[in-house]
Amino acid sequence: MYIGIDVGGTSTNAVLLDDGLVKASATVPSRDDIITSLMEALDRIMKGVPAELIERVVFSTTLITNLIAEKKYDPVGIILIPGPGLSHVHYQYNTDTLFISGAMDYRGREIMPLRDQEIANAISCLSTKGYKKVAVVGKFSSRNNKHEKEVASRIKSLHPDWHVEMGHQVAGQLNFPRRVVSTMLACATRDKYSFFVESVQAALNRRGVEGLVYILKADGGTMPLSKVTGVPIETIFSGPAASTLGVQALIPPGETAVVVDIGGTTTDLALILSGQPLLSSRGAPVYDQLTQVRALAVKSVAVGGDSIVERVGKEILVYSERLGAPFCLGGPMPTPTDALRVLGLTRLGNAKKALEAMDMLGQPLGMSHSEVAQRIINMVIDLVVQEIEAIFKQWEQEPAYRVWEVLQKRKERPNMVVGVGGAASGFITQIAAKIGANPVIPPYAQVANAIGAAVAVPTLQVNLRADTEQGYYTIEQEGYQGKIEKDPFTEEDALLLAGEWLKKRAEKYGLNQAVEKKEFTRRDVFTMVRNWITTGRIYDISVQTPRGIIGHIGARGGFSD
Amino acid sequence: MNKKTGLIFFPAFDWAISPTHPEREERLLYTRDQIFEEGVMDLPQIHEYAPRLASLHDVSRTHFCVPRVQSQVTEAHLIAAGSTLQLGDSVVSGEIKNGFAMVRPPGHHAMRVVHGNRGFCSINNEAILVEYLRRRHGIRKIAIVDSDAHHGDGTQDLFYHDPDVLFISFHQDGRTIFPGTGFTNELGGPGAYARTLNVPLPPGTADETFMYVVDNLVLPVVKDFQPEIIINSAGQDNHYTDPLGSMRFTARAYADFTKKLKPHLAVLEGGYAIETALPYINLAIILALADVDYSYVMEPDYWPGRFKESPEKTAQVHRMVEQLLESWANRDKVDIPKIFGVGKYYQRKKFIYYDTDYIEEEQIEKVRMCADCPGYIIIESRAERGYRAPVRIYAVSIPFQACHSCQSEAYDVYEQAKKQGECDYIYMQDKSTDTCITYEKDKGQEWVSEG
Ligand SMILES: [Zn+2]
Ligand SMILES: [Zn+2]
């Protein structure tokens, strides 16, 4: 049996799956102490189920997202080695940021050495200011990590108790500013995350659960809980990923659908294209800064069931703030939830109070309560529909760097609009009608995120970049830099090497079965010609385990593919 | 005025002329590394667009591809041209203030008639854009400034008789480099005199002289011309490390030039110092277009004052600029019949060599001298390619500004050529109605495409 648990900001959802059937589900309020709510949810779904039968538990948690949002972490100082390029005024991260000399180029060749004195000055400056956590990031460090390592070892020799995080270990893809943010956040959250992992492990042990324990990442893949300490920030925004995977499991395979998760104050939108959730091309944004974390493409619209509605002159406006519960549930202001109540689209709260809320808005304008309610609902729907259109347009506008990528670009439209979350039922039919798709509220929509966690499978990737002229290769995900031993080193050799690294990574995480199937998602070969002579080749290879879910939730039990 | 700079980056990582040709997969690889690592696409001033394909008709509106467009272009060509059109649309609609099509393959050596690939070019991205902007957006006056080390002979050929296109090319002296043209006396045909200006620069020319030409010739002439759109053929082989050229421009100078010219669109042309120049020049141009500080961008082996120029060469360039300024100033006062004669047609003979495909083409180009419009153009062309039988074509091109009588006369000429049956293919390209027709003698068949 599989367990999926989504620890959200307001509530914690849990499901128990048995061979493709939802055996039990529970929703409990999230408390400040995550472990307490987690145990509570766990106990409810495990009632009468022997712990030995639990093969697997997957968590999705907003813990890291919240830590970052609430700035509940120790300050992190930053040492950057940006070299020439963009002006340094672009590198601003709301913390002490020190710049030192030194530069690598795009092939990892040193073009400017480090200067000892500058390193020493930077360290003593951070020390004076009381920092004990430092992020060290150099431009092109994923092509050559020598400078980052040198600076880190200097820090360690002077301050063995400091926590130092290096850019090349956190994220390997090119994008220096995003790597800086990722490294800083990884440095900031690592301790707290380890603490969380230990508590969860202890709690599960107390309940006798000995199955494998995983955590969901922003890209919808899972990682064994105990191994993920390497990159805790990969778990940010796993909430939306959980709902999207849940929907993927609850609708038939191969569908193109929009997932609309309408909550109290925000509505999250995601796409499932021909059965596969869409990955964002940009890396997850943390507030106004982009990170290098691979994530599903999720768009958050600042409107939900509890958004406040006000009359301004002859206009009725829906704001993005929340001032408590809807009027029909004892709140201070009218909300879209009140409008749904008046139109009979929900049974939530007090009908008379909802009518009163509409009259407050409508009477000065001479509008009936149902007219007002319909107008509010239309405004919310228009907003959501606009964003859905924008999301599709953005997807069509994704850049492409190869001829075949341009040629295979297709226009796709959703067959269905799938509603999950509290206020979904009232809106989905009309949203779907507007974009010409079928409305779907799947069974268990309320706990779709927990289902998503339960069905998520591990994802592993390896990006190999080999430069035969310089005789070395790098593995982005590992921050590894190694010598090419074979000569000549052919494309076949590069593919083999990438495959071996995927296996190595799988072993490291205890995911050996995951690599039985693998797919190469990129295999670029660049012939290097210098002075009319071929001097080497660059191979860019990406290999990964297939993305997907364990299976679809069947109506009569048994996972279906 | 907070509009963004649009970028289309299409490095065509799966396309090459041949694995070891300068125009191969690797060409924009280090540019990609540099701009991705800098996070340029994430800057709030930048908007990255997806590439798109140009239609075959977009190509036919500009070129006579022999025998047809499909036989001269690959999908990569259509994407490079289409990406340029995408940015053109976005500039005209006001979505962006300017844009940079960093695309492969390049195009500025592609002429009106295309028998094959010359100078790594098959179709002319900027010229296709010009015809598109006119047809789709009604834009008339356009300036093209070509900053490639090689003379933009294709672009010159396409607009030689068009008074509404100002074409300025500065480049390494044609006596020392492909394609061997682009001298100061090539000033445009009778109907477009001095709308073509060439500045052949001596090998070894460095930033100071480059800026002299920009400040004293390019900027004042472009300003005087008052174009609706300015396009920069942004070739980067004037860089001091380029293996094909012998010039000494720096990335910084390219950025300064961009900042001064303020092109609406820059379109990548040549540039084969793919490691030592392209990553730095492309980054600097992007930043200059987006009005972002580019003073931190520098080649690793450059130091200020590295290149000194000889005073004689500098003086020679100053004299040339004087002379060209005079041609420009007198463009409407010169005695056209005295230069070009008074016949019904002005005619010139051309010999064109296709260095990539080893084709030799002989061409007679005639332009109808008309008081009311730029006149239609007739081209008779014969191309030899090794042992194969030569191909003969006859082509008529009606400009978009054509007067009524030129238009109807041109159709008579086309029909006559069909009857005479001397050529393998006969083409009609009517830009005034956006109609392109191809007649194939062997099959006795005609194909029409309309925009
Ligand atoms: Zn060139
Ligand atoms: Zn005329």
Side-chain angles (χ1 to χ4, degrees):
Chain A
M1 290 194 226
Y2 301 145
I3 285 179
I5 303 179
D6 181 274
V7 189
T10 48
S11 60
T12 294
N13 293 339
V15 295
L16 177 73
L17 294 189
D18 186 8
D19 195 25
L21 269 184
V22 179
K23 261 282 202 276
S25 68
T27 299
V28 302
S30 290
R31 311 192 194 285
D32 280 347
D33 170 19
I34 288 182
I35 305 300
T36 312
S37 28
L38 209 147
M39 297 309 294
E40 204 180 325
L42 205 58
D43 289 345
R44 281 179 50 187
I45 56 165
M46 281 176 64
K47 211 169 281 168
V49 176
E52 308 88 72
L53 292 183
I54 308 300
E55 297 159 65
R56 211 176 82 119
V57 180
V58 184
F59 287 98
S60 122
T61 171
T62 50
L63 174 76
I64 297 297
T65 319
N66 293 344
L67 284 179
I68 294 168
E70 294 156 23
K71 301 228 154 50
K72 283 185 185 158
Y73 51 79
D74 297 335
V76 177
I78 301 179
I79 296 179
L80 296 185
I81 322 164
L86 217 58
S87 158
H88 298 176
V89 300
H90 291 279
Y91 307 129
Q92 288 180 358
Y93 303 100
N94 271 322
T95 184
D96 285 292
T97 308
L98 300 163
F99 299 93
I100 59 172
S101 304
M104 296 289 173
D105 78 356
Y106 40 79
R107 283 180 66 199
R109 295 171 298 203
E110 184 179 59
I111 52 175
M112 202 191 287
L114 292 170
R115 290 205 188 130
D116 283 345
Q117 194 53 50
E118 288 182 21
I119 303 171
N121 292 348
I123 297 171
S124 85
C125 173
L126 291 177
S127 168
T128 318
K129 297 197 168 167
Y131 287 97
K132 284 185 158 37
K133 291 189 166 164
V134 187
V136 180
V137 193
K139 205 176 275 175
F140 288 116
S141 66
S142 38
R143 295 285 160 84
N144 187 348
N145 54 34
K146 179 173 159 252
H147 285 172
E148 281 183 1
K149 281 182 161 169
E150 274 177 36
V151 175
S153 78
R154 280 287 290 281
I155 299 172
K156 277 288 178 192
S157 70
L158 290 166
H159 304 282
D161 59 319
W162 284 17
H163 178 66
V164 185
E165 202 80 48
M166 290 179 281
H168 72 274
Q169 289 183 324
V170 173
Q173 255 178 301
L174 295 178
N175 194 312
F176 177 66
R178 289 191 209 170
R179 271 212 314 282
V180 176
V181 176
S182 296
T183 311
M184 181 182 71
L185 295 177
C187 190
T189 54
R190 192 177 293 275
D191 303 347
K192 299 218 161 153
Y193 187 76
S194 303
F195 178 72
F196 166 77
V197 169
E198 282 159 25
S199 325
V200 169
Q201 287 286 11
L204 288 172
N205 287 345
R206 253 183 286 149
R207 292 293 185 270
V209 176
E210 278 166 7
L212 298 164
V213 185
Y214 297 85
I215 189 144
L216 193 69
K217 298 184 298 169
D219 70 353
T222 61
M223 270 289 174
L225 185 70
S226 53
K227 303 292 173 73
V228 83
T229 41
V231 254
I233 52 157
E234 289 194 4
T235 67
I236 54 173
F237 300 114
S238 62
S243 316
T244 310
L245 291 187
V247 169
Q248 188 189 351
L250 290 167
I251 62 174
E255 285 288 342
T256 289
V258 186
V259 182
V260 182
D261 184 347
I262 303 184
T265 45
T266 58
T267 298
D268 288 335
L269 303 173
L271 290 189
I272 296 177
L273 295 168
S274 306
Q276 203 55 256
L278 177 67
L279 273 170
S280 165
S281 63
R282 305 205 80 186
V286 174
Y287 303 94
D288 52 351
Q289 280 172 324
L290 291 169
T291 63
Q292 202 61 315
V293 174
R294 218 165 88 115
L296 295 190
V298 176
K299 176 107 200 211
S300 222
V301 190
V303 63
D306 303 348
S307 303
I308 55 175
V309 184
E310 227 180 26
R311 181 185 58 82
V312 178
K314 288 185 175 173
E315 302 267 354
I316 288 177
L317 301 177
V318 180
Y319 293 100
S320 52
E321 299 104 282
R322 176 180 195 265
L323 273 183
F327 201 77
C328 64
L329 288 167
M333 298 271 289
T335 67
T337 301
D338 297 308
L340 289 177
R341 185 69 177 95
V342 166
L343 295 174
L345 293 168
T346 126
R347 305 196 144 270
L348 217 61
N350 182 319
K352 258 179 70 187
K353 291 284 271 181
L355 280 177
E356 200 182 309
M358 293 303 107
D359 282 336
M360 275 158 57
L361 297 165
Q363 251 163 17
L365 302 174
M367 287 167 78
S368 75
H369 37 251
S370 59
E371 271 177 300
V372 179
Q374 193 56 57
R375 183 179 293 188
I376 293 168
I377 300 307
N378 285 348
M379 286 164 73
V380 173
I381 287 166
D382 285 347
L383 212 69
V384 172
V385 166
Q386 252 173 40
E387 292 295 341
I388 292 175
E389 293 296 335
I391 251 188
F392 269 94
K393 204 173 161 205
Q394 197 184 341
W395 168 64
E396 281 161 12
Q397 278 294 323
E398 296 274 276
Y401 306 121
R402 291 161 192 81
V403 174
W404 71 263
E405 287 172 4
V406 180
L407 297 180
Q408 61 127 41
K409 261 200 193 259
R410 59 229 145 124
K411 271 194 186 331
E412 218 167 317
R413 285 288 154 209
N415 302 323
M416 47 172 80
V417 174
V418 187
V420 292
S425 56
F427 292 104
I428 288 309
T429 315
Q430 300 183 61
I431 291 172
K434 277 233 164 162
I435 61 172
N438 297 317
V440 175
I441 304 232
Y444 309 111
Q446 304 300 331
V447 290
N449 48 14
I451 292 176
V455 297
V457 297
T459 47
L460 272 182
Q461 288 163 274
V462 158
N463 294 348
L464 170 131
R465 185 179 178 285
D467 182 331
T468 70
E469 192 194 51
Q470 297 206 83
Y472 81 95
Y473 69 96
T474 51
I475 301 292
E476 273 183 14
Q477 286 76 7
E478 298 277 321
Y480 180 85
Q481 219 167 286
K483 261 180 95 162
I484 296 174
E485 307 286 357
K486 239 184 134 221
D487 182 32
F489 183 76
T490 63
E491 185 180 356
E492 276 314 303
D493 297 324
L495 294 172
L496 270 173
L497 186 60
E500 277 168 28
W501 269 95
L502 188 71
K503 224 173 125 198
K504 226 182 273 187
R505 245 173 103 71
E507 277 162 18
K508 180 170 156 188
Y509 291 120
L511 295 171
N512 300 39
Q513 299 113 308
V515 289
E516 277 164 18
K517 277 189 225 164
K518 58 174 187 267
E519 55 193 27
F520 289 92
T521 51
R522 185 174 60 171
R523 43 193 293 183
D524 289 333
V525 180
F526 301 98
T527 307
M528 309 173 73
V529 182
R530 301 293 177 269
N531 296 315
W532 318 103
I533 294 162
T534 302
T535 56
R537 293 209 156 77
I538 288 179
Y539 300 106
D540 256 333
I541 311 283
S542 297
V543 58
Q544 64 179 37
T545 58
R547 293 173 63 204
I549 51 178
I550 287 178
H552 294 264
I553 303 292
R556 293 178 195 83
F559 282 118
S560 62
D561 286 323
Chain B
M1 265 308 282
N2 287 327
K3 274 193 218 158
K4 296 189 180 202
T5 291
L7 287 187
I8 293 187
F9 180 55
F10 181 65
F13 284 148
D14 52 355
W15 185 88
I17 290 182
S18 71
T20 57
H21 193 278
E23 194 47 80
R24 64 180 179 277
E25 295 91 340
E26 190 195 1
R27 195 172 152 232
L28 290 177
L29 178 62
Y30 313 104
T31 293
R32 176 204 62 183
D33 289 351
Q34 193 73 41
I35 61 180
F36 281 23
E37 178 69 346
E38 299 289 355
V40 160
M41 301 300 194
D42 293 342
L43 287 175
Q45 293 91 335
I46 303 285
H47 182 84
E48 186 181 11
Y49 286 88
R52 76 171 200 222
L53 283 102
S55 70
L56 299 175
H57 185 76
D58 287 327
V59 181
S60 307
R61 190 191 287 126
T62 305
H63 292 289
F64 297 113
C65 290
V66 185
R68 56 188 62 85
V69 178
Q70 297 92 308
S71 42
Q72 293 299 344
V73 303
T74 62
E75 286 123 348
H77 292 102
L78 293 176
I79 298 169
S83 300
T84 311
L85 303 186
Q86 171 63 57
L87 289 180
D89 280 339
S90 305
V91 164
V92 173
S93 74
E95 226 170 79
I96 52 174
K97 66 173 175 184
N98 55 25
F100 186 11
M102 259 180 295
V103 296
R104 292 180 51 229
H108 77 147
H109 294 303
M111 299 187 165
R112 197 187 306 273
V113 178
V114 178
H115 286 287
N117 186 304
R118 338 178 30 250
F120 321 157
C121 303
S122 291
I123 54 173
N124 193 311
N125 299 324
E126 290 88 344
I128 291 170
L129 171 66
V130 166
E131 300 300 351
Y132 177 85
L133 287 175
R134 288 173 159 176
R135 189 65 210 171
R136 187 60 65 90
H137 299 292
I139 285 166
R140 190 181 174 103
K141 286 181 87 176
I142 295 167
I144 304 175
V145 180
D146 189 317
S147 51
D148 192 279
H150 303 94
H151 177 223
D153 58 346
T155 315
Q156 169 168 313
D157 179 65
L158 276 148
F159 299 111
Y160 208 63
H161 302 296
D162 190 329
D164 293 317
V165 173
L166 169 68
F167 177 65
I168 305 179
S169 177
F170 51 84
H171 44 260
Q172 186 178 329
D173 191 324
R175 289 169 299 186
T176 63
I177 196 171
F178 177 86
T181 52
F183 298 101
T184 50
N185 62 331
E186 299 161 35
L187 284 161
Y193 187 74
R195 269 69 168 187
T196 292
L197 296 176
N198 283 300
V199 193
L201 299 167
T205 300
D207 290 354
E208 204 181 315
T209 306
F210 172 21
M211 280 310 127
Y212 181 87
V213 172
V214 170
D215 291 331
N216 295 282
L217 178 73
V218 177
L219 296 179
V221 170
V222 168
K223 188 170 177 234
D224 203 14
F225 182 70
Q226 293 187 306
E228 294 161 67
I229 296 265
I230 301 171
I231 299 168
N232 173 212
S233 283
Q236 308 182 348
D237 31 18
N238 277 306
H239 191 262
Y240 66 89
T241 61
D242 195 88
L244 304 187
S246 318
M247 307 290 271
R248 288 173 168 179
F249 294 9
T250 63
R252 173 73 67 86
Y254 268 105
D256 288 342
F257 160 65
T258 306
K259 196 173 172 141
K260 289 176 175 184
L261 180 68
K262 291 187 177 57
H264 294 92
L265 283 173
V267 182
L268 181 66
E269 282 296 340
Y272 300 94
I274 59 175
E275 281 206 81
T276 47
L278 262 57
Y280 308 102
I281 301 179
N282 281 321
L283 176 63
I285 290 179
I286 293 169
L287 298 182
L289 286 171
D291 234 337
V292 174
D293 180 7
Y294 52 79
S295 62
Y296 283 55
V297 180
M298 207 194 290
E299 300 88 337
D301 64 343
Y302 181 74
W303 62 90
R306 185 173 162 188
F307 302 111
K308 304 251 183 318
E309 294 178 87
S310 84
E312 303 92 81
K313 281 185 185 171
T314 314
Q316 181 196 329
V317 172
H318 289 203
R319 280 196 299 278
M320 185 161 61
V321 165
E322 287 306 310
Q323 180 203 334
L324 286 165
L325 278 173
E326 208 178 293
S327 301
W328 172 255
N330 294 327
R331 64 195 180 279
D332 296 325
K333 294 174 211 146
V334 292
D335 189 350
I336 294 290
K338 202 172 153 196
I339 307 173
F340 296 99
V342 289
K344 182 176 175 187
Y345 295 100
Y346 162 71
Q347 173 175 327
R348 56 178 186 156
K349 260 198 187 133
K350 290 191 273 186
F351 177 80
I352 299 155
Y353 181 62
Y354 290 69
D355 66 319
T356 313
D357 278 349
Y358 311 114
I359 298 168
E360 292 177 354
E361 180 192 358
E362 277 175 337
Q363 210 187 78
I364 295 171
E365 179 198 73
K366 292 180 187 172
V367 55
R368 175 76 163 97
M369 305 270 260
C370 174
D372 302 319
C373 79
Y376 60 88
I377 294 164
I378 301 170
I379 290 173
E380 293 169 62
S381 152
R382 179 177 185 278
E384 281 199 64
R385 183 175 192 161
Y387 51 85
R388 282 186 229 171
V391 180
R392 287 188 62 188
I393 69 146
Y394 191 92
V396 184
S397 177
I398 301 173
F400 84 103
Q401 321 93 316
C403 71
H404 199 72
S405 74
C406 276
Q407 195 198 13
S408 67
E409 203 176 297
Y411 274 96
D412 294 343
V413 170
Y414 168 75
E415 289 301 330
Q416 238 166 20
K418 262 167 65 181
K419 260 185 237 140
Q420 271 165 358
E422 284 169 10
C423 292
D424 304 302
Y425 300 94
I426 299 156
Y427 300 89
M428 162 54 83
Q429 179 186 65
D430 182 359
K431 294 178 189 173
S432 66
T433 60
D434 201 19
T435 310
C436 300
I437 312 174
T438 305
Y439 175 78
E440 187 174 343
K441 189 182 75 176
D442 280 356
K443 293 190 177 147
Q445 225 181 325
E446 200 171 57
W447 290 271
V448 182
S449 85
E450 283 161 287

